Amino acid sequence: TFGIDSNGIEMDALAALSVNESEINFGAIQLGSNTGSVNQNTTVINEGNINIDVQLSGYGSAPSDETCMVCTQGNISIEKMEYYSTAFSYGNGINLTSSGATLNLDIPQRVNDESYKGVRWGIETESSGINGNCTGTINFVVVSDPDAE
């Protein structure tokens, strides 16, 4: 896909994003508890020249393992991590999946300054069998969005 700017210059479309945060730290959470209305934030920056959304997916130790985190002892199931484009209380977010789903962020193309939007995160722990530090991976994949303003 390409476009012609006002000076008649042909330009290829570039869909690209970056994420400001390298990790999401939920802190210590009791077994069987969730983050409630306390969300952690990631900032998705449009680095390209077209409007974008983002597709989100995740895993604990390997793609499609149906966990969002692998802990020193035990794992946290993938559906226990939630996200949304605005602040939310746990239970009202969108469940993370291993296959991915598009979040309609409507991030407009970058013109002069950075163009970005936030993704908020919450999590719930299993009621037993979890202990220690937990880690996982979240994939942020750029998706073209012709409707962003």
Side-chain angles (χ1 to χ4, degrees):
T1 304
F2 67 92
I4 308 279
D5 75 2
S6 60
N7 296 320
I9 299 171
E10 187 174 307
M11 185 176 295
D12 286 335
L14 173 63
L17 65 77
S18 64
V19 179
N20 265 1
E21 297 74 17
S22 61
E23 66 179 41
I24 301 170
N25 187 345
F26 291 107
I29 301 173
Q30 296 293 322
L31 290 175
S33 299
N34 63 59
T35 52
S37 62
V38 178
N39 303 141
Q40 298 302 313
N41 191 51
T42 53
T43 306
V44 179
I45 302 168
N46 187 345
E47 300 287 0
N49 62 8
I50 64 171
N51 303 332
I52 64 168
D53 287 327
V54 64
Q55 183 183 71
L56 300 166
S57 65
Y59 60 89
S61 60
S64 301
D65 66 7
E66 296 307 312
T67 65
C68 66
M69 290 195 180
V70 173
C71 305
T72 307
Q73 177 184 350
N75 301 323
I76 300 175
S77 300
I78 189 89
E79 72 277 359
K80 301 274 187 175
M81 185 173 286
E82 295 183 350
Y83 61 90
Y84 202 67
S85 57
T86 59
F88 69 97
S89 291
Y90 188 86
N92 295 313
I94 300 167
N95 292 348
L96 187 65
T97 66
S98 59
S99 59
T102 299
L103 180 61
N104 188 17
L105 286 179
D106 293 331
I107 306 175
Q109 67 180 341
R110 186 174 180 167
V111 179
N112 292 322
D113 296 328
E114 284 187 339
S115 183
Y116 59 90
K117 299 257 177 108
V119 179
R120 277 73 172 179
W121 298 89
I123 196 165
E124 179 177 61
T125 63
E126 307 292 347
S127 58
S128 64
I130 303 295
N131 194 7
N133 292 323
C134 301
T135 60
T137 300
I138 298 172
N139 297 312
F140 291 77
V141 177
V142 67
V143 177
S144 173
D145 179 10
D147 300 325
E149 296 179 16

